[in-house]
Amino acid sequence: MGEALISGLLHSGHWKPSHIIACDIRHDQLAKLQLRYKVHASADNRWAVREADIVLLAVKPQHMKHVLEEVGPVVRQEQLVLSIAAGITTSFIEKFLAKGVPVVRIMPNTPVFVGLGMAGMARGRYAKEAHERAARAIMETVGAALSVPERQMDAVTAVSGSGPAYVFYVAEAMMEAGVKLGLAPHVADALVRQTIQGAGTLLAQSHEEAHTLRERVTSPGGTTEAALKVMEAAKVRAIFMKALRRAKERSSELSQLSY
Ligand SMILES: NC(=O)c1ccc[n+]([C@@H]2O[C@H](COP(=O)([O-])OP(=O)(O)OC[C@H]3O[C@@H](n4cnc5c(N)ncnc54)[C@H](OP(=O)(O)O)[C@@H]3O)[C@@H](O)[C@H]2O)c1
């Protein structure tokens, strides 16, 4: 995720390699980042944080406490702290920082790797609109971003954070069905990939709602209607509701773990 953001920032043209210091405990990872993006690279987190205007924390949630204990004491009020760690609340982060340090929590998703990510963002106690704008400008280099109150971050996680996996699951199911219907695996694979990309692009670019686009390809008595009737009878919509509710609950459970 951190690397995807470095790549997005540099591709946007607004950031130069000299604006970025990449940190990692793995020296091989640092060497790779330095070679690939020509950014500064350092294994010294404290030094990098002292040098920065914006500190982006992109370690796994279970490593956040350790990293915050290390760098928290050197963060100054005029800096901005961003975190993309799933389930780590702004109040958790603020506990390790001096009073008044602005924090913005971000929930991205994996399409950031192709510049089509979707991120939910929530402001901490001391973050102002300008801080949120700075966070949005960064996330928009790898896709889109929108702000929500922090209490809605578990729902954002359930919808867009985990969302790509639901689409891949549907892709798998359609590919398997295609093969069972007699298609060669590579044919089923190509049909499904392009169909999902096409439908996704149509949905993203259209001003119409998903159900209107769906109705337009569903002629009465036709094949699409026949398939959708089977899905409705199997209560697929209710299963999505149940699945996303469980994802939201799980996100909330993970947030409450004391890492
Ligand atoms: N991947 C996703 O789809 C996704 C979606 C939404 C949010 N996120 C969030 O994004 C964050 C990063 O995820 P990721 O999949 O990119 O994780 P990752 O591949 O583990 O990247 C984190 C990097 O930080 C390094 N690191 C660990 N401890 C460190 C320390 N003390 N100082 C400096 N560097 C340290 C890790 O090294 P080691 O490998 O040696 O530990 C690793 O290279 C997570 O908090 C995750 O919740 C990810």
Side-chain angles (χ1 to χ4, degrees):
M1 271 287 164
E3 180 176 356
L5 283 163
I6 292 174
S7 169
L9 288 168
L10 296 176
H11 272 106
S12 74
H14 299 303
W15 297 65
K16 294 196 183 100
S18 60
H19 292 152
I20 297 171
I21 308 173
C23 285
D24 204 292
I25 37 173
R26 281 169 41 198
H27 287 271
D28 57 331
Q29 179 72 359
L30 283 177
K32 191 183 85 180
L33 293 172
Q34 197 163 26
L35 189 72
R36 199 173 277 175
Y37 303 102
K38 317 284 179 243
V39 294
H40 296 294
S42 172
D44 185 345
N45 291 340
R46 279 181 161 229
W47 171 80
V49 166
R50 280 199 196 95
E51 293 294 305
D53 297 317
I54 300 174
V55 178
L56 173 76
L57 301 167
V59 294
K60 294 255 191 257
Q62 61 271 31
H63 297 149
M64 277 290 273
K65 181 170 183 280
H66 176 79
V67 170
L68 283 165
E69 279 167 352
E70 184 191 1
V71 304
V74 300
V75 177
R76 304 177 303 275
Q77 234 185 59
E78 65 272 20
Q79 293 173 304
L80 167 62
V81 174
L82 307 178
S83 161
I84 60 165
I88 301 287
T89 61
T90 57
S91 60
F92 179 85
I93 297 168
E94 283 160 357
K95 278 195 287 195
F96 297 87
L97 306 173
K99 194 165 172 246
V101 175
V103 177
V104 177
R105 173 180 166 195
I106 301 165
M107 182 66 204
N109 66 8
T110 53
V112 299
F113 297 114
V114 291
L116 291 170
M118 182 68 222
M121 304 190 313
R123 273 195 234 174
R125 206 166 150 196
Y126 306 109
K128 307 265 182 305
E129 219 178 300
H131 301 121
E132 204 170 80
R133 267 202 305 278
R136 182 173 303 117
I138 290 178
M139 295 317 294
E140 284 180 349
T141 66
V142 288
L146 57 77
S147 304
V148 295
E150 189 162 7
R151 63 179 184 281
Q152 292 178 7
M153 283 299 262
D154 294 324
V156 167
T157 305
V159 175
S160 60
S162 302
Y166 314 149
V167 176
F168 301 143
Y169 184 80
V170 169
E172 277 175 70
M174 286 173 67
M175 286 173 191
E176 279 166 22
V179 170
K180 285 198 179 130
L181 295 175
L183 297 172
H186 73 280
V187 173
D189 186 284
L191 293 177
V192 171
R193 280 177 199 263
Q194 183 69 10
T195 300
I196 288 181
Q197 183 175 0
T201 307
L202 195 57
L203 180 63
Q205 291 181 1
S206 172
H207 298 298
E208 287 172 313
E209 294 185 18
H211 77 90
T212 309
L213 294 172
R214 175 174 56 76
E215 277 165 7
R216 194 162 298 143
V217 291
T218 312
S219 341
T223 55
T224 312
E225 188 190 64
L228 290 172
K229 273 186 176 164
V230 174
M231 292 187 198
E232 285 289 303
K235 303 203 179 338
V236 173
R237 206 182 278 263
I239 288 169
F240 264 88
M241 184 64 243
K242 213 168 150 182
L244 268 73
R245 182 171 289 131
R246 183 63 201 123
K248 177 176 177 263
E249 277 165 17
R250 185 67 191 138
S251 173
S252 159
E253 286 162 17
L254 291 172
S255 296
Q256 280 153 29
L257 287 178
S258 52
Y259 282 104

